[in-house]
Structure formats: structure tokens, C-alpha cells
Amino acid sequence: MSTLADTSPALPRRRTFTEDDRIIVSAGLYLMLALVIALPLALMFLWSVADGWAPPHIVPQNYTISRWLDVLADANLLSATLNSLVIAIVVTLATAIIALPTAWAMARFPFRLKRVVEIFILAPIIIPGLVVAVGIGQIFLLLGLSYSMAGVILVQIVGTLPLMIRLMTASLETIPDDLIHAARSLGAGSIGVLTHVILPLAVPGLLAGGLLSFIGSFEEFDKSFIVGSPVIQTLPIKLYMFLDPYSMQLPLASIIAFILLLPALIIFVLAGRILRDDLMAAGMGKI
């Protein structure tokens, strides 16, 4: 038996695709995209315009746009949309301001227990968001920050800060020391080095972290729900209310989901045009 095993040809460990497999691979990828993205979106759209849809019909028998018009004219929905936009913009700006000095220290200065600090920064990502929200919610309740816009903004920063720090650290690590030394030798102070060297070269990292922080804040639910609901209403909280199992309104939930999806699509297009793949890979690879 051992002789037969030794003389048998070794099987390749990895399948190597050739030019002839291009059609099969492409068909498989497009099929997966259709099942994962196109089919759910098509079902959501049909639910949003269906005027009665019950088995055994595969598609709705009648269609209407009145539900869209009612939702878009709802003042509560407009208020929730404005809340989501304002919170996302403030969270993105505050996250960038807080993350920049932290990322600079992580990228440029060696110090003891640096790995422990990195793990501590990643803690809000490693720990489930609901657990973080419950813990912070208790503290905010004692501090009087619950059910306020400031409380929702602060609790969302906890979730967006780790990713921004990681992306900024990856961006700042690529700045050559020679540029900073040259700027100082020409008479630039700390502010001059920051404004003329560091910030311009850190723009790709700021954009990457800013776009992901904005979309993460705009779609964040669990922390906002525990800290702000029912006083502070955002679009994800409105979506949850329409998905309540005791009063589920699937057509209205589909419309809210489409509205939530719109910023994500815009960010996806912008990210594909302005972000560097190596920066994203470096930042994500450390998480």
C-alpha cells in the first residue's frame, strides 16, 4: 500500500483557471451578483409598488405609486432623513478630527504596549455593536446624554473611530520622513508641516475614512436606537418600526430601504473613482 501511495502522481492543490474557463467563471460571478444584489432589490421594488400581492401570483397583479408619494410627503420621514444626514456629517467630521492625531502617533512613534493600544482601539469593532450600545447607553443615561442628538453623535463616533484610525494610520505611514525634515530645514514650524506636508498627503486616507464613516453613521441602528429612540428618530429606526413583527408594513419598509440605499450607492461610485485600492487594502488588512 505504501508503494502505491508513493508512486501515485501528486494532485494539484489549487485549481488554475485558463482562458477557456473565462465564460464559466464570468457566468458564475454574474449569477452570484444577480442572486445576492439584483434579486433582493427587485423584490423590494415590487413590494414598494405592489397593490396587493398574494400567492400563488409570482408578481403583483396591480401596481401603484401612491405609497411612494405618501411616504415622501410624510413630515416624520423628512425629519428622520434630516436627522440622519446631520448626524452622519457631524460624526464624520468629529471622527476625522479625533482620528488624525491618534493615527499620527500610531504611524510615526514607537512606544511600549503599542500592540495593546491597537487592540484597544479595535475593541468597538471586535465586540458586537449591541453589547457596546447597552454598556454605553447605561453611562449616557447617568450623564444625561440619552435621548439627545449629542448622545447619538457621541455613541456613533465610538463605532466609526476605529476604522478611521486604521485607514489614517495606513495613509500616514506612507509619508517619507525626508519630506518632513526638508520642510523643517526650510523654516516650517509644526503648523506649517501639518498644513503643507502632512494634510495634503493624508487626503486619500481622510477621504477613505470619511466616506466609510459617513455611510456607517447613516446606516447605524443599534447604538442610535438604544441611546436616542424614541426621541431621536433616524432612517434606520424608522425602518425598524415598519418591520415590527406585530405591525409589519413591508411595502413601506421597502421604500425606506431604498432611501437608505441611495447614499451607499453614491459612496460606492465615489469610492471607486477617488480611493486608492492599496490604501483600502492596507487599512482593511490591519483590522
Side-chain angles (χ1 to χ4, degrees):
M1 294 295 292
S2 60
T3 304
L4 291 175
D6 293 337
T7 56
S8 59
L11 296 175
R13 294 184 177 180
R14 181 177 297 178
R15 174 77 163 84
T16 302
F17 292 101
T18 63
E19 187 70 19
D20 297 334
D21 300 326
R22 183 177 58 182
I23 297 178
I24 298 176
V25 173
S26 300
L29 291 175
Y30 283 118
L31 179 61
M32 289 300 299
L33 287 175
L35 291 176
V36 175
I37 298 178
L39 181 60
L41 290 178
L43 290 176
M44 281 199 311
F45 179 74
L46 288 178
W47 271 114
S48 68
V49 296
D51 188 13
W53 188 6
H57 300 294
I58 298 177
V59 295
Q61 298 299 298
N62 300 302
Y63 299 90
T64 178
I65 61 171
S66 61
R67 203 175 290 115
W68 274 88
L69 298 177
D70 293 340
V71 169
L72 294 178
D74 187 357
N76 292 328
L77 178 67
L78 178 61
S79 175
T81 305
L82 290 176
N83 284 341
S84 294
L85 286 174
V86 170
I87 291 172
I89 292 172
V90 175
V91 166
T92 302
L93 295 176
T95 301
I97 294 173
I98 298 172
L100 182 58
T102 308
W104 178 255
M106 298 297 294
R108 313 299 292 195
F109 301 112
F111 54 86
R112 288 185 177 181
L113 303 177
K114 186 174 182 178
R115 185 60 181 165
V116 176
V117 175
E118 289 179 348
I119 296 175
F120 179 75
I121 292 173
L122 289 178
I125 295 180
I126 299 173
I127 301 174
L130 199 58
V131 177
V132 176
V134 171
I136 294 178
Q138 293 292 333
I139 298 174
F140 278 22
L141 192 60
L142 295 175
L143 297 176
L145 290 171
S146 295
Y147 316 116
S148 68
M149 187 74 83
V152 174
I153 291 172
L154 289 175
V155 78
Q156 287 197 6
I157 291 176
V158 174
T160 57
L161 198 56
L163 184 58
M164 175 71 90
I165 291 176
R166 280 302 179 187
L167 290 171
M168 287 297 302
T169 302
S171 176
L172 295 175
E173 285 176 344
T174 62
I175 298 178
D177 291 335
D178 295 342
L179 287 177
I180 299 175
H181 296 327
R184 291 192 181 279
S185 66
L186 294 173
S190 299
I191 302 298
V193 172
L194 176 65
T195 56
H196 294 95
V197 178
I198 297 175
L199 285 180
L201 294 177
V203 166
L206 279 171
L207 287 176
L211 291 176
L212 294 180
S213 296
F214 180 86
I215 200 66
S217 170
F218 194 78
E219 297 184 345
E220 203 282 331
F221 166 71
D222 45 9
K223 301 183 191 70
S224 303
F225 181 78
I226 291 178
V227 172
S229 181
V231 178
I232 304 300
Q233 294 282 329
T234 61
L235 278 178
I237 294 176
K238 294 287 289 185
L239 176 61
Y240 174 77
M241 294 172 64
F242 287 132
L243 291 175
D244 185 350
Y246 296 102
S247 59
M248 180 176 290
Q249 302 179 61
L250 201 53
L252 298 179
S254 299
I255 296 174
I256 302 297
F258 267 108
I259 297 174
L260 272 173
L261 186 63
L262 185 60
L265 292 177
I266 296 174
I267 295 296
F268 178 77
V269 174
L270 290 177
R273 290 182 174 273
I274 64 178
L275 296 187
R276 289 162 36 195
D277 294 338
D278 58 338
L279 175 64
M280 294 292 290
M284 294 294 184
K286 291 186 175 183
I287 293 176

